[in-house]
Amino acid sequence: MNGKKAKSGQRPPVPKSPPAGKFWGLEELDGVPLPDERGHFGIYGGRYVPEMLAPALEELTESYFRWRARPEFQRELEKLWETYSCRPTPLYFAENLTRHLGGAKIYLKQEGLGATGAHKINHCLGQALLASKMGKKRLICETGAGQHGLATATVAARFGLPCTVYMGAVDMRRQATNVFWMRQLGATVVSVEEGTRTLKDAVNAAMKDWMWNVAETYFLLGSALGPHPYPAMVRDFQSVVGREVRAQLEKAEGRLPDAVIACVGGGSNSIGIFNEFLAEPQVELVGVEAGGRSLKPGEHAARFEGGRLGVVEGYKSYFLQDDDGQIQKTHSISAGLDYAGIGPQLAWLRDQGRVRFVSASDHEVIAAFQLLARQEGILSALEASHAIAYAMRYAPELPADKIVVVNLSGRGDKDIFILAEALKDPDWKAYCKDYAEGKIR
Amino acid sequence: MSPEADRPQGRAAALVEVFARLRKDSRVGLMTHIVFGYPTVEASRHLVDIMARSGVDLIEVQLPFSDPTADGPTITHACQKALDRGVRVADGLAFAREVTKKYAVPILFMSYFNVVFNYHEKGEARRGVAAFAKAAAGAGAAGLIIPDLPPEEDQERYPETCREHGLHPIYVTSPNVNDRRLEAIAKAASGFVYATSRTGTTGREVQIAMEELGRFLDRAHRLCKLPVAVGFSISKREQIEALSGKAEMAVVGSHLIQVYEKLGLSALEREIRTLAGRKD
Ligand SMILES: Cc1ncc(COP(=O)(O)O)c(C=O)c1O
């Protein structure tokens, strides 16, 4: 629990404007570097990779910190965010939902309105711009839901770079629409048949590709995890979300939020919106993990419910694993949260009591999706619906003068097959059948 | 600490002697590899038996891990199959105890850091490097090869802890690595250094650029001052002979799994004898 929460009834002070030109994530909290020069957040993070990747990660770290400090790089990226994607994304006061739930005011940060329909575009534009500055000739990435793959394929097309997307065979089946779009964007989508054939195996496959093509290729990692500098770099590129929320809420309400809620897969959208408020102890930060079907091993992806400290895929953090340290199967109705590890900075923030973690079950998530659709006319991605699900539980517990901001990390179009199946929609099933049989022209 | 305490003992000493003997005979040694439990534990027994009888100099026993990031499809698949059959780390340790009693050839454990980091004795709460090092040494291993633990991630004093338990911490390095990193490895490593012949993962047959490799091996010798074993894409006796004067040991892994899968145990035995340069 967050011990530093402001006493209820007491108004948080009006926030200072963010320091001018500050473009990236918080670099220190209570004297602890975020991260240290070798990528550690306390005991978490680091760079646990085969030696042959070390030169590439050293080059990437050096280039990233050099480029991000340049005002022209920041301006170029800001322009891409504004004109190619959609920044700032709206911060919307969900009046109907607030009234319906009867508690704190709920604001939604509409990341789903950006290009490609999810927050992933923020760090993809950032990393693709960096890759082009570094003179890299090719992009590779891993993807789970396909949202990160879609965003990477998109920026690859924009920057004129060939792109290979690794995707677990299981995920390719459940996110077939994204596979189609990625191919339309010119990317090669490789089906990963190893292991559990989901996101973690796609990460491994992309890392292996990188080992073979390390000099020319840029590995565009899709969340705030992996070896240093990815957790810090992805956070930095996503920190624009929280920065906008602060300014937008200051304008709308003249104050800071009382709580910020985000779903947590690897951690990019959550750390992106949390970062701005880490040093504001009165703002409660809540991460929502995938509770899946149940909290039995293999049925969920809530690392803090059943995980243990480990070192996998280049970083130290919490992982869902068996007694021997073998990574376990995970499950979530949302492919984007279906992953055994969690970003190292979040693990550290949890230890500090700065971020509180909860989980939402598949059932709650579907109910949340439906409620938001009916109340506000917003179709949210299943990942983001986890954050809504917790807001549904939490907002009614808070008095009406409190403000909760929910990061709506993506829109729900991509989830039509999963939702139709989960909701047992007979018309959709019939349509798919007829379509497959060529009965629909 | 007395000078004796610094000197390797038991199996670790046997590994040092292997390299001394190779130098005396001016011969390139052979380290062969198995994935423990693939396709079965019984098969692992046969494989080690063949390797020991064929005059292999070192045996690398890979403890399967679910996410082997440095391995190509052959070994990744083998690890997955072994795990699917329910192979546990404790079984691998028991296996090593059994074979190191039977054969003189030193064995090394290869795995990924999460396996070491999470290891604990049954009924003990403490996990980690010291527990694993104690168990591995107790099982008769001469060293550990952990490709995803770079020297700068000083986890629970990994290299020192290995040595305190009589194990060589073997580091894997690659041609694209700079001198500074090789020097860091030199500080931490003992026994020998494992050099990959190229970048990329294990198990793809590609032409090795010998001249470039030669320059890298010179650099590795100069900076690490340890014997060097070369692995990745080695599958032929000629390649091993070509390493003469350049490296002390060749490592063959995926190729043997492929031979075993395609042609079976007796073909594998012939292959290992050929690779070891046995003419009898
Ligand atoms: C819409 C959406 N939200 C959230 C996530 C989870 O990732 P992260 O925790 O990195 O934000 C994904 C991943 O694919 C996603 O597509």
Side-chain angles (χ1 to χ4, degrees), chain A residues 38 40 43 45-56 58 194-196 200-201 204 207-209 211-214 308-313 316 319 321-328, chain B residues 64-71 73 76 80 83 88-89 113-115 117-118 120 127 147-153 155 172-174 176-178 180-181 185 196 198-201 204 232:
Chain A
R38 286 192 288 111
H40 300 107
I43 63 165
R47 185 187 280 162
Y48 296 83
V49 294
E51 277 294 287
M52 67 181 76
L53 286 182
E58 284 172 1
E194 275 147 5
T196 56
K200 79 173 178 68
D201 310 286
N204 291 338
M207 255 165 99
K208 291 175 189 188
D209 177 314
M211 288 187 208
W212 281 101
N213 304 293
V214 65
R308 201 174 61 240
L309 198 57
V311 178
V312 184
E313 291 180 340
K316 188 191 248 188
F319 293 88
Q321 52 187 324
D322 73 8
D323 194 43
D324 270 359
Q326 310 293 354
I327 297 308
Q328 276 169 338
Chain B
F65 176 51
S66 53
D67 296 79
T69 39
D71 285 303
T76 301
Q80 193 58 51
L83 291 174
R88 302 289 311 261
V89 174
F113 189 58
N114 202 43
V115 170
F117 185 75
N118 275 287
H120 65 132
R127 294 174 184 268
D148 62 343
L149 184 65
E152 72 264 28
E153 292 292 353
Q155 286 293 325
V172 184
T173 183
S174 296
N176 61 338
V177 162
N178 62 20
R180 185 174 48 74
R181 297 199 64 84
I185 284 179
T196 67
R198 49 163 175 77
T199 54
T201 59
R204 200 187 290 173
F232 288 34

Side-chain angles (χ1 to χ4, degrees), chain A residues 112 117-120 123 143-149 178 199 222-225 234 238 263-271 303 334-338 346 381-384 407-411 414-415:
Chain A
H119 70 290
K120 300 282 177 189
H123 62 233
T143 193
Q147 287 306 102
H148 173 64
N178 272 341
L199 180 55
S223 194
L225 43 70
V234 171
Q238 290 293 349
C263 70
V264 189
S268 63
N269 89 86
S270 52
I271 198 72
R303 287 64 45 108
S334 65
L337 304 187
D338 198 351
L346 289 171
L382 286 171
E383 291 80 7
N407 198 5
L408 219 54
S409 56
R411 61 172 178 253
K414 69 182 173 66
D415 295 317

Side-chain angles (χ1 to χ4, degrees), chain B residues 130-149:
Chain B
F132 186 82
K134 183 162 168 251
L144 304 183
I145 305 172
I146 310 294
D148 62 343
L149 184 65

